[in-house]
Amino acid sequence: MSESRTTPNASPEEAAADSPTTPAGPGSWDTRSEEVLAESALTTASHPASVPAVKGKARKPGGRRGGVDPVKALMHRHRELCEQAVDPLEIAAGLEAHGVTDRTAARFRHRDVFSLAEEMYARAERDEEPVPAASAPDLSATGPQVPVGWPVFALLPGAVCAMAVAALDLTSGSAKLFAGMVGALAVGIALKVALRQGPLRVLGRQVPATRMWTGFLLVYALVGEGLLGGILAGGPEGPWPLHTAPLLGLALAVAPGSWCARIFAVQSARTLAASRGLDDFAAAVRPLLGGAFAVFLAVLTGLLLASGAVLGEEARGVGPAVALGALLLLARLLEVHGFPDAGALMLGAACAGEVLALATALGGRLPGFGFLSAPVEAVAGAWGPGAVPVLICGGAAAVLLAHAMRRLTRASAHAEVVR
């Protein structure tokens, strides 16, 4: 019998608040919570009559000698997970999502979470008919399922954007405005199809504001640098210059971004199948994520340089577009793996930073408020107006990369892979 964790004079509300419950979020439990979980299971297991059997199982007395069966209590706590799991890996990912670590597994007489999940899976299906091998494909070798022909869909945004840019160069006046509007609509539709029919599709919860933030950042990549430069020069005067090369490079980068996401998902699934501990899995997946991200940045830089050379813009706008592409990919990866809030927050922060830069540049014109535009003028004077979005989007991308290294290296982030 474990020691009581409430004082003799504790009220019922305090006792209820101190009792172990199912975690409300994906974050890990602290050390005390792990002890409460393990000791609660041991305490419950010492009273077999108080633990209902898993659905579809007849309770058998003497299932484990000694009268203490902590694993059965844990199975009851995660009964739905045990019933619906198709293999032990899914149970391991679910346990980790609920805060069970290798240290917690040791209190259940197992060396790690994967070993604990294997016993829970074996005992949950003990009295059921065996599932044919054909109905449970080995996703550890192929990764999550994606629609057939997704590589073709991934090429659509780049192809459509190239045609839209060509139409802008070949038209003038009102025809150019019409071509720009139709081209923007066509690129948006192509991008939506590519994202929904490829490795970057989101099957879980989404944050609606993400689309609005993304659209604003893309518009700033098109006109923001010229607008900010005009404001700092005392204008703007006349139409703002359009920088189409960054948008063309970003559209072309959808295909390599999809491939990097696919490779990361497949390799992570294989690593999860071969891992024997959560720490081992995290250590193996971390270089995978870093490598895929580095490859994407290298390919994106090459595409931006090629787009600038073809359109006559040279290397102008490459830095801001690289920072923006990194931010968009990391936000999408987190959203794909079930963490949409962080990406939406950083995208919104980047939008707010760029709006603030334009507002302070304008506000500095007011008498006595020149100090407002001093930071933006200092950055633009040293490295050009393009340095402002580089610092803003690059800083947001750095924060997301650190967050992704923590979130996407957890087994629970790849639960859909083993599902």
Side-chain angles (χ1 to χ4, degrees):
M1 179 74 69
S2 62
E3 295 181 1
S4 175
R5 293 190 175 272
T6 57
T7 61
N9 298 326
S11 63
E13 293 78 4
E14 294 174 347
D18 195 50
S19 61
T21 58
T22 302
S28 301
W29 288 5
D30 55 18
T31 303
R32 181 173 177 273
S33 300
E34 296 176 359
E35 295 175 355
V36 171
L37 174 64
E39 294 185 10
S40 173
L42 290 171
T43 301
T44 308
S46 63
H47 299 80
S50 65
V51 182
V54 179
K55 182 179 179 181
K57 313 292 186 300
R59 293 188 68 253
K60 298 180 180 180
R64 180 180 282 209
R65 296 180 182 178
V68 177
D69 190 355
V71 177
K72 177 179 288 188
L74 188 63
M75 290 175 64
H76 172 65
R77 185 183 298 272
H78 301 284
R79 179 173 55 187
E80 184 177 353
L81 175 64
C82 294
E83 292 171 355
Q84 298 179 357
V86 298
D87 55 31
L89 295 178
E90 185 174 350
I91 297 181
L95 291 177
E96 192 214 23
H98 284 80
V100 178
T101 64
D102 290 340
R103 180 176 178 179
T104 312
R107 296 179 178 272
F108 290 95
R109 305 170 183 174
H110 285 273
R111 64 182 181 275
D112 52 45
V113 174
F114 289 89
S115 175
L116 175 61
E118 287 176 351
E119 179 180 349
M120 294 174 65
Y121 178 74
R123 294 176 65 180
E125 67 172 7
R126 180 173 51 196
D127 298 332
E128 297 179 357
E129 296 181 0
V131 180
S135 62
D138 182 14
L139 297 183
S140 64
T142 61
Q145 298 298 314
V146 292
V148 178
W150 68 265
V152 177
F153 293 123
L155 296 173
L156 282 178
V160 175
C161 186
M163 291 187 290
V165 170
L168 287 176
D169 291 340
L170 296 175
T171 55
S172 60
S174 58
K176 186 171 186 176
L177 177 62
F178 178 76
M181 295 177 60
V182 173
L185 179 61
V187 171
I189 295 175
L191 181 60
K192 186 175 183 179
V193 171
L195 294 179
R196 287 192 174 184
Q197 301 297 323
L200 292 175
R201 63 175 179 168
V202 178
L203 300 177
R205 183 174 63 89
Q206 301 184 46
V207 178
T210 300
R211 299 178 181 177
M212 181 172 62
W213 304 143
T214 302
F216 176 86
L217 292 173
L218 292 175
V219 171
Y220 189 94
L222 179 65
V223 301
E225 185 175 349
L227 175 60
L228 181 60
I231 292 175
L232 295 177
E237 298 178 358
W240 306 331
L242 301 180
H243 299 151
T244 55
L247 287 186
L248 177 58
L250 289 171
L252 292 172
V254 173
S258 299
W259 274 107
C260 290
R262 177 62 177 169
I263 293 173
F264 173 66
V266 172
Q267 294 300 324
S268 297
R270 292 175 179 174
T271 303
L272 181 60
S275 297
R276 299 306 310 166
L278 300 178
D279 293 338
D280 295 340
F281 174 75
V285 170
R286 198 169 288 115
L288 287 176
L289 177 59
F293 183 65
V295 169
F296 171 76
L297 291 184
V299 176
L300 173 60
T301 303
L303 291 174
L304 289 170
L305 291 174
S307 300
V310 171
L311 298 178
E313 297 183 15
E314 302 303 330
R316 188 172 186 176
V318 171
V322 170
L324 177 57
L327 176 61
L328 293 177
L329 178 66
L330 290 172
R332 190 67 181 187
L333 280 178
L334 286 167
E335 192 174 20
V336 167
H337 289 274
F339 305 99
D341 296 323
L345 179 61
M346 286 297 101
L347 289 174
C351 291
E354 292 180 346
V355 170
L356 184 62
L358 294 174
T360 54
L362 285 172
R365 297 180 177 182
L366 299 176
F369 289 90
F371 65 92
L372 291 177
S373 60
V376 176
E377 290 177 350
V379 173
W383 300 293
V388 174
V390 168
L391 293 177
I392 294 174
C393 294
V399 173
L400 273 191
L401 180 60
H403 185 71
M405 284 293 181
R406 179 171 171 264
R407 290 294 189 182
L408 300 186
T409 56
R410 300 176 57 184
S412 56
H414 305 271
E416 191 64 31
V417 175
V418 299
R419 191 172 291 274

